[in-house]
Amino acid sequence: MANCSGCGGRRVIVDPDSGDRVCGSCGRVLSTEHYRHEAFTSEGQPTSFLHSTGGDFGYRERKLHHARALIADLTARLGLSAARAAEAGALASDVTDGALGDGQWFPVLVAACSYLVARRHRLPLSLSEAAAAVGHDACDLGRMAARVARHLGLPPLPEFDAAGVLDRVVRTGPCFSAVDPEKSKELIGQGRFLLHCATKWFLTTGRQPLPMVAAVLAFVAEVNGVGVSVEEIAKEIYAGVTTSKLRLKELMETLVRVARSLLPWGKDVTVKNVVQNAPLLIRLMERKSKSGLSEGLGFGFGGLTGPYQDGEAEDSKYFEIDGEEDGNANCNILEDVNLSGECISSAYKNVLQRISHLKEIGEFDKVQVKKARKDQLDFVALQDSWEGRWDSEKKLTLEQMLERDVGYDALPPSFVTGVQARRFRKAKIEAAKRRIHKIMKPSSSVDAVGKVEDCLPGEEVVGRKRRSRKKLQVDSLDWEDCIIELLLLHQVNEDDIEQGQYNRLLDLHVFCS
């Protein structure tokens, strides 16, 4: 039995009324016995050939059938449910006035409609993933989606759900398929929290969200001992690999600054060891965002280890000083105490004798076990999770993310970069003014020789220092130094030069003068 030439199906049904053989899958008429004995050419001339009046569907029916099949296939590959697929098909039908389409543009239209439906219902479908499904560029798909939304007058779309993408990758992605379910929950919880912190620190403002998702996932995977690289995650979610690496570097540098403001040993935290400090740091930021452990930059361990301090309260009484409750008064009392070398040596000998006595009666080992158990409980209290720990991270709005206190407030990276660039240009202006002054008045310009770096303020360095382009000295000038000198000679305002809009200033003050 021959297969159907349209869909390849093998189930053929014979119509009892007409005797036509019809495909049972797509409804294509495979053969018929109905003929019209008189046929005409395109010019209207009669021919003697027999012409079948049955056969295939008409052009419109064939086009609609192929279009619906394409919509069903594409929406299934994008992971849309039947209801969302029907909604995407309705959008495509509204755009084309029910005619749908059969050209190369139609898959792009279907992908754009699917993306709009996914964004409307906050589904984790990115523009890059939808574009990859149809083999087109994301910019083309974005333009098509904008045209569809403008043509149909759709309301503004909600924000892209980056946390939903993170959740889907951890639960269904091949990179995390071998991860334990409990560890997957921890990865998702830590990832959501760091994504919200990145939003608060303006690391996602004006940027594509997928590279930050890849960076956060790579970081929490390394913290929890999951062997997944940022390149693998970026390729899986269709994010730029180079951009994802840059976002990971920015995230780690920001966490180093957070550790320096929160942890007592924060000055020793660097980009190389921030992963080892990350479990405690994330826990502290999380607890601080929920309960406000401290006022200002520091934090208190009391809120974290409180359940385990009641039984050992007597350990701290040896460090208390009777008398005034004020700390300054206690310090003054200590300053008034005169301790000689013989007194300290005698106290040390007494301690050694006490330890020897405890070892003889077998009490010293009990004290050590008791303190070790306490340290273990404190560590568990700081790092272990509890049931429902990350539930509050699921439904936070942007305003709530920006208002929460995690112990550190950062400025937008673009703003910081702009301020640094302006400082650098200001230093170049000062160096150019000294060079000009040296030429105009050589006798009074003894200190004209210098470096641009001497005019720059000292800044905190996090991570590896960037390689300087060149040590900009007076005898090694670049194009920017020459332009600044030319603008200064034309008496251009220094504030305008600091903005760096050299082309506009040259047109206004040099070429038009």
Side-chain angles (χ1 to χ4, degrees), residues 135-157:
H136 281 262
D137 188 70
C139 296
D140 297 337
L141 185 60
R143 284 191 291 267
M144 178 65 78
R147 290 176 60 187
V148 171
R150 186 168 54 251
H151 178 73
L152 298 179
L154 299 179
L157 298 175

Side-chain angles (χ1 to χ4, degrees), residues 108-316:
V108 182
L109 174 63
V110 176
C113 295
S114 302
Y115 172 73
L116 291 174
V117 171
R119 282 290 301 274
R120 183 187 300 175
H121 296 279
R122 299 187 62 84
L123 299 178
L125 177 62
S126 64
L127 193 66
S128 302
E129 183 178 356
V134 294
H136 281 262
D137 188 70
C139 296
D140 297 337
L141 185 60
R143 284 191 291 267
M144 178 65 78
R147 290 176 60 187
V148 171
R150 186 168 54 251
H151 178 73
L152 298 179
L154 299 179
L157 298 175
E159 297 178 1
F160 181 74
D161 188 11
V165 176
L166 185 145
D167 189 295
R168 188 191 66 176
V169 171
V170 175
R171 295 185 186 277
T172 63
C175 295
F176 298 92
S177 58
V179 179
D180 184 76
E182 293 299 326
K183 183 170 286 189
S184 297
K185 293 181 180 179
E186 191 70 14
L187 288 174
I188 293 173
Q190 291 181 354
R192 282 179 177 270
F193 181 75
L194 287 181
L195 270 181
H196 295 166
C197 292
T199 303
K200 178 178 175 58
W201 298 330
F202 303 100
L203 297 179
T204 59
T205 304
R207 296 172 168 181
Q208 296 182 3
L210 292 181
M212 181 54 68
V213 173
V216 169
L217 269 179
F219 182 77
V220 298
E222 186 177 2
V223 169
N224 290 273
V226 180
V228 181
S229 64
V230 64
E231 293 88 353
E232 296 175 351
I233 301 174
K235 292 178 181 178
E236 185 172 337
I237 64 176
Y238 302 96
V241 176
T242 304
T243 309
S244 300
K245 291 181 179 179
L246 181 60
R247 296 293 175 268
L248 178 60
K249 180 181 178 182
E250 292 177 351
L251 177 64
M252 296 179 70
E253 290 177 352
T254 305
L255 288 175
V256 169
R257 296 188 181 95
V258 177
R260 291 179 179 180
S261 64
L262 286 182
L263 297 177
W265 58 91
K267 63 180 181 180
D268 299 325
V269 179
T270 62
V271 176
K272 295 182 179 180
N273 59 18
V274 69
V275 175
Q276 287 74 24
N277 293 273
L280 177 60
L281 182 61
I282 294 174
R283 181 63 179 272
L284 291 176
M285 290 191 298
E286 175 208 355
R287 292 291 298 271
K288 184 172 179 63
S289 66
K290 292 180 179 179
S291 58
L293 289 175
S294 65
E295 299 293 336
L297 294 177
F299 72 95
F301 279 101
L304 297 174
T305 59
Y308 306 104
Q309 290 180 347
D310 296 338
E312 302 293 336
E314 67 274 7
D315 292 344
S316 61

Side-chain angles (χ1 to χ4, degrees), residues 362-381:
E363 295 292 333
F364 183 77
D365 293 336
K366 294 182 180 179
V367 174
Q368 295 297 321
V369 171
K370 189 176 183 180
K371 288 188 173 293
R373 186 183 299 114
K374 176 193 173 185
D375 295 339
Q376 182 179 3
L377 290 175
D378 289 344
F379 182 79
V380 172

